[in-house]
């Protein structure tokens, strides 16, 4: 390691004194102007990680659904997964080292992690459409170069596309070609073959309105568009030509405000969906004939997909195990429907896709979705081999079902939750089952719910257990929540410190919107009082937005 060169180049990406950042559930995330040194250092770290794993490592520059002024960076591990926890710690140490200590900290990490510095390194880089992203990704490249790592800069990519590229490169192209063309070809081929199986294929020309959050999703969906235009016509809104990224639009806005994004004109019963700023989340929605807005979130997406998969498995007569993984934010009605009506085992993990992804790997077929629309389906290698074999061996209807499953495997991005891939799966399933958006929505009724944020002096005073559904500290808070929950019907509430914002999140559901709002407010007050609230106490939810 040429420590002199590192010191010299690092000075060009100097860390502001005293700034402390944490590698959270989605990497580093803050105002873009504070991130230059972090980017340079993540370039360095990616080289070490690549040397240690003898694999290609990804670096994605994005702040997802957060405001345009923010930015962020995360590293992608060899199989497209989130960075291993011990390396999250290294990332935090490196990002927070004061300028003069940085080379020493870098050396310490390579000793601790037993990195062979002679090993070659390869890093791939992607970025979203934020104005700050281009310069910041250049800082990542500076870091990679100073440690003499090789790199490929993909430029503009969705987050899941970068995960896909990393996965392809580390599996010698078996998963697919590590190019945008390879990505589009793989997904569109599976989509076309799958939709061909529909009875009414060709009878009804399908169309869908997509709110792209004024982000990268618009550019990448446009690239995909001409590969799928025979089967599906997509109308892109909030495509970034006018509006601001994630401002009054995008999946996060639609989910948390439970209303349509700006710029979306909806006719009754028209199917619409929203991506988030880096296109790894998707939610659907429609207006009914009375003009009421209906949200179809990640839970209902997971339900549609798992019921489809279950039917196909039944058809081929193969007993592959299927599990659905959710978080505490999953609507209680979805969990009940999956367990009691569909008889599918459901598991709850902590918030953050890495936890869901990890749990989903335990099944032959693991369906995981966060309520906010981030998710995918993972097939074990053994399940994939078995299904491919059955698609050759079986006959007639059974063979058709096995072939459809084979297409589904190819259509899901196995490396990460992917709005484009999920959208194609959902569109294919709706076509195959002849379902309208209302029929899909009618699978079950969501319990009214409310999410709130509370500002406290130190959100880490709240610790939780049982997949974040129970508070351990501060003392008395869980008892207070229990007492409040008892006052309402069909109610549930929990609180947890956010992993991406300096706030405590409160979630409540109950038999009516009024009760969910009132419970959420009462729980917010308890958090404010018992966990060191700052500023004004939480106000009742009359019109929260
Ligand atoms: P935090 O801020 O830890 O709640 C949010 C989302 C997560 C996940 C991450 C990463 C909710 C309640 N939380 O995490 O699901 O998507 O951001 O982007 O939606
Ligand atoms: Zn995102």
């Amino acid at each position: 390691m040429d420590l002199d060169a590192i010191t010299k180049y690092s000075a060009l990406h100097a860390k502001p004194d005293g700034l402390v950042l944490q590698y959270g559930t989605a990497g580093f995330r803050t105002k873009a102007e504070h991130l230059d040194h972090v980017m340079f250092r993540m370039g360095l770290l990616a080289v070490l990680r690549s040397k240690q794993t003898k694999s290609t490592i990804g670096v994605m520059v994005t702040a997802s659904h957060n405001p345009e002024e923010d930015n962020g960076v995360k590293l992608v591990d060899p199989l497209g997964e989130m960075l291993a926890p011990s390396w999250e710690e290294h990332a935090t140490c490196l990002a927070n080292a004061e300028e003069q200590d940085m080379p020493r900290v870098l050396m310490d990490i390579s000793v601790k992690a037993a990195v062979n510095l002679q090993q070659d390194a390869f890093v791939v880089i992607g970025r979203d459409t934020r104005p700050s992203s281009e310069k910041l990704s250049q800082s990542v490249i500076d870091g990679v170069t100073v440690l003499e790592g090789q790199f490929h800069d993909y430029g503009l990519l969705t987050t899941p596309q970068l995960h896909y590229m990393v996965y392809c490169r580390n599996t010698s192209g078996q998963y697919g070609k590590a190019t945008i063309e390879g990505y589009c070809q793989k997904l569109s081929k599976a989509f076309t073959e799958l939709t061909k199986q529909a009875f009414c294929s060709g009878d009804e020309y399908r169309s869908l309105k997509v709110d792209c959050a004024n982000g990268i999703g618009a550019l990448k969906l446009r690239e995909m568009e001409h590969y799928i235009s025979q089967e599906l016509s997509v109308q892109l809104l909030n495509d970034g030509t006018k509006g601001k990224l994630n401002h009054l639009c995008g999946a996060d806005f639609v989910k948390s405000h439970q209303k349509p994004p700006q710029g979306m004109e909806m006719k009754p019963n028209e199917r619409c969906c929203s991506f988030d700023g880096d296109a790894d989340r998707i939610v659907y929605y429609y207006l009914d004939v009375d003009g009421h807005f209906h949200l179809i979130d990640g839970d209902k997406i997971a339900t549609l997909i798992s019921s489809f998969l279950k039917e196909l498995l039944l058809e081929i007569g193969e007993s592959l195990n299927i599990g659905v993984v959710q978080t505490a934010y999953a609507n209680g009605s979805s969990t009940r429907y999956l367990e009691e009506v569909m008889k599918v085992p459901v598991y709850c993990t902590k918030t953050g896709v890495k936890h869901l992804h990890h749990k989903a790997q335990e099944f032959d077929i693991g369906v995981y979705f966060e309520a906010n629309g981030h998710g995918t389906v993972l097939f074990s290698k053994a399940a994939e081999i078995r299904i491919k074999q059955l698609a050759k061996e079986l006959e007639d209807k059974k063979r058709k079902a096995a072939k459809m499953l084979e297409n589904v495997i190819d259509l899901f991005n196995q490396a990460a939750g992917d709005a484009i891939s999920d959208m194609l799966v959902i569109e294919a399933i709706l076509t195959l089952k002849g379902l309208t958006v209302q029929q899909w929505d009618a699978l079950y009724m969501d319990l009214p719910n409310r999410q709130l944020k509370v500002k406290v002096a130190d959100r880490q005073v709240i610790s939780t257990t049982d997949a974040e559904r129970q508070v351990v500290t501060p003392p008395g808070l869980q008892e207070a929540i229990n007492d409040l929950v008892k006052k309402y019907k069909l109610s549930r509430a929990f609180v947890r410190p956010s992993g991406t914002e300096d706030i405590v999140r409160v979630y409540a559901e109950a038999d009516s919107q009024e009760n969910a709002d009132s419970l959420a407010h009462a729980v917010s007050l308890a958090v404010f009082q018992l966990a060191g609230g700052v500023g004004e106490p939480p106000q009742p939810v009359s019109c929260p937005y």
Side-chain angles (χ1 to χ4, degrees):
M1 236 192 261
D2 182 350
L3 292 181
D4 288 340
I6 294 169
T7 306
K8 189 172 130 210
Y9 282 96
S10 183
L12 303 173
H13 302 280
K15 174 183 174 296
D17 274 346
L19 180 68
V20 179
L21 297 168
Q22 178 88 28
Y23 195 100
T25 41
F28 293 104
R29 219 167 257 191
T30 185
K31 293 274 159 268
E33 70 248 34
H34 296 144
L35 280 168
D36 182 51
H37 69 293
V38 178
M39 296 292 166
F40 175 74
R41 294 172 183 202
M42 288 308 106
L44 300 173
L45 194 74
V47 170
L48 294 191
R49 182 67 174 152
S50 171
K51 286 176 187 286
Q52 193 223 18
T53 56
K54 301 188 177 62
S55 307
T56 295
I57 293 295
V59 181
M60 183 71 199
V61 177
T62 181
S64 182
H65 57 280
N66 295 103
E68 185 169 284
E69 298 72 30
D70 291 7
N71 218 320
V73 58
K74 71 174 180 186
L75 268 58
V76 178
D77 254 0
L79 296 180
E81 289 155 298
M82 303 289 181
L83 190 60
S86 58
W87 279 77
E88 290 189 358
E89 276 173 38
H90 298 326
T92 302
C93 285
L94 190 63
N96 292 327
E98 292 307 331
E99 203 51 44
Q100 67 279 8
D101 302 330
M102 201 277 285
R104 184 184 51 76
V105 172
L106 194 67
M107 278 307 291
D108 282 356
I109 294 170
S110 57
V111 172
K112 256 195 216 155
V115 176
N116 173 6
L117 294 171
Q118 307 310 318
Q119 180 71 39
D120 289 341
F122 199 88
V123 178
V124 291
I125 300 143
R127 65 178 144 90
D128 71 10
T129 56
R130 287 179 159 73
S132 60
S133 291
E134 189 168 358
K135 187 158 175 290
L136 290 174
S137 70
Q138 196 52 54
S139 304
V140 174
I141 292 171
D142 286 357
V144 174
T145 317
V146 97
L147 274 188
E148 291 171 12
Q150 306 268 17
F151 70 91
H152 178 79
D153 180 13
Y154 279 101
L156 293 166
L157 276 191
T158 71
T159 297
Q161 283 175 338
L162 183 77
H163 285 255
Y164 165 89
M165 301 302 176
V166 172
Y167 195 24
C168 288
R169 283 175 179 268
N170 289 318
T171 47
S172 332
Q174 272 179 39
Y175 184 64
K177 267 195 278 164
T179 58
I180 274 291
E181 202 191 12
Y183 172 89
C184 289
Q185 278 169 348
K186 178 170 181 177
L187 266 58
S188 60
K189 181 166 175 279
F191 177 69
T192 309
E193 283 184 12
L194 193 55
T195 44
K196 255 196 229 146
Q197 307 297 326
F199 273 125
C200 51
S201 174
D203 297 339
E204 185 202 1
Y205 189 61
R206 311 233 356 145
S207 63
L208 172 69
K209 284 186 170 168
V210 187
D211 153 33
C212 298
N214 289 317
I216 182 69
L219 301 177
K220 297 301 158 183
L221 189 51
R222 235 178 224 127
E223 287 175 346
M224 178 65 86
E225 209 180 345
H226 73 265
Y227 289 84
I228 54 164
S229 56
Q230 291 292 308
E231 292 79 23
L232 179 71
S233 132
V234 284
Q235 189 183 341
L236 276 56
L237 297 126
N238 299 323
D239 65 354
T241 47
K242 291 194 294 283
K244 209 169 157 180
L245 180 70
N246 294 327
H247 183 61
L248 304 176
C249 62
D252 193 60
F253 173 87
V254 173
K255 165 79 180 155
S256 51
H257 293 68
Q258 311 213 358
K259 66 178 188 194
Q262 215 173 49
M264 175 73 83
E265 272 178 27
M266 299 163 70
K267 294 194 200 92
N269 295 333
E270 201 172 39
R271 225 166 48 260
C272 305
C273 67
S274 284
F275 292 0
D276 75 338
D278 61 342
D280 61 359
R281 291 189 191 179
I282 183 168
V283 294
Y284 272 72
Y285 43 88
Y286 68 98
L287 288 183
D288 64 22
V289 282
D290 300 321
H292 292 134
F293 176 78
H294 295 253
L295 175 72
I296 302 182
D297 65 4
D299 304 335
K300 222 165 241 175
I301 293 174
T303 309
L304 177 78
I305 292 168
S306 36
S307 78
F308 178 67
L309 292 173
K310 239 193 125 176
E311 281 166 26
L312 290 182
L313 287 177
L314 207 67
E315 185 73 51
I316 59 173
E318 193 69 12
S319 62
L320 294 169
N321 75 35
I322 175 166
V324 177
V325 188
Q326 304 184 316
T327 71
Y329 292 100
N331 196 279
S333 293
S334 75
T335 316
R336 184 137 35 91
Y337 182 84
L338 283 160
E339 285 179 332
E340 290 173 15
V341 181
M342 282 183 50
K343 312 268 185 239
V344 177
V346 181
Y347 301 82
C348 184
T349 70
K350 288 202 259 181
T351 305
V353 273
K354 68 176 171 202
H355 300 295
L356 291 109
H357 193 96
H358 191 71
K359 185 74 195 171
Q361 284 173 328
E362 289 178 15
F363 308 94
D364 294 326
I365 303 177
V367 180
Y368 77 82
F369 269 88
E370 292 190 303
N372 61 31
H374 189 156
T376 187
V377 177
L378 301 181
F379 291 81
S380 72
K381 205 71 219 156
E384 183 179 339
I385 292 168
R386 181 79 188 122
I387 288 165
K388 293 205 161 151
Q389 189 190 355
L390 290 169
K392 289 202 193 89
E393 281 173 7
L394 293 174
E395 288 179 2
D396 306 329
K397 270 174 80 184
K398 287 188 171 191
R399 183 192 185 122
K400 183 175 159 183
K403 277 199 162 293
M404 280 160 77
L405 266 174
E406 200 180 351
N407 295 144
V408 173
I409 297 175
D410 285 343
L411 193 41
F412 272 116
N413 188 337
Q414 308 270 305
D418 182 334
I420 295 179
S421 144
D422 293 344
M423 179 194 90
L424 294 177
V425 174
I426 293 163
E427 290 302 311
I429 296 177
L430 294 177
T431 308
L432 287 161
K433 293 178 71 127
L435 280 179
T436 64
V437 70
Q438 308 89 289
Q439 286 167 327
W440 174 19
D441 186 35
L443 285 178
Y444 60 82
M445 275 261 287
D446 273 322
L447 278 170
N449 59 88
R450 177 67 67 200
Q451 252 198 69
L452 297 173
K453 302 177 185 184
V454 183
K455 229 169 155 36
V456 297
D458 173 13
R459 68 191 200 277
Q460 301 309 337
V461 300
I462 296 189
S463 60
T464 62
T465 182
D466 187 23
E468 306 178 323
R469 289 172 291 191
Q470 297 279 324
V471 168
V472 178
T473 60
L477 181 54
Q478 187 56 50
E479 289 73 13
I481 295 173
N482 293 345
D483 289 344
L484 293 167
V485 166
K486 272 188 213 137
K487 295 185 184 165
Y488 300 90
K489 281 197 206 123
L490 301 176
S491 59
R492 185 168 72 91
F494 68 92
V495 307
R496 55 175 279 279
S498 159
T500 61
E501 289 178 64
D502 189 15
I503 45 123
V504 175
R505 289 196 203 283
V506 171
Y507 177 90
E509 61 188 32
D511 58 342
S512 69
Q513 190 61 53
E514 203 184 354
N515 286 342
D517 288 350
S518 157
L519 176 59
H521 174 241
V523 173
S524 300
L525 275 179
V527 170
F528 189 86
Q529 281 154 9
L530 298 169
V534 291
E536 287 293 305
Q539 296 300 304
V541 191
S542 49
C543 176
Y545 300 107

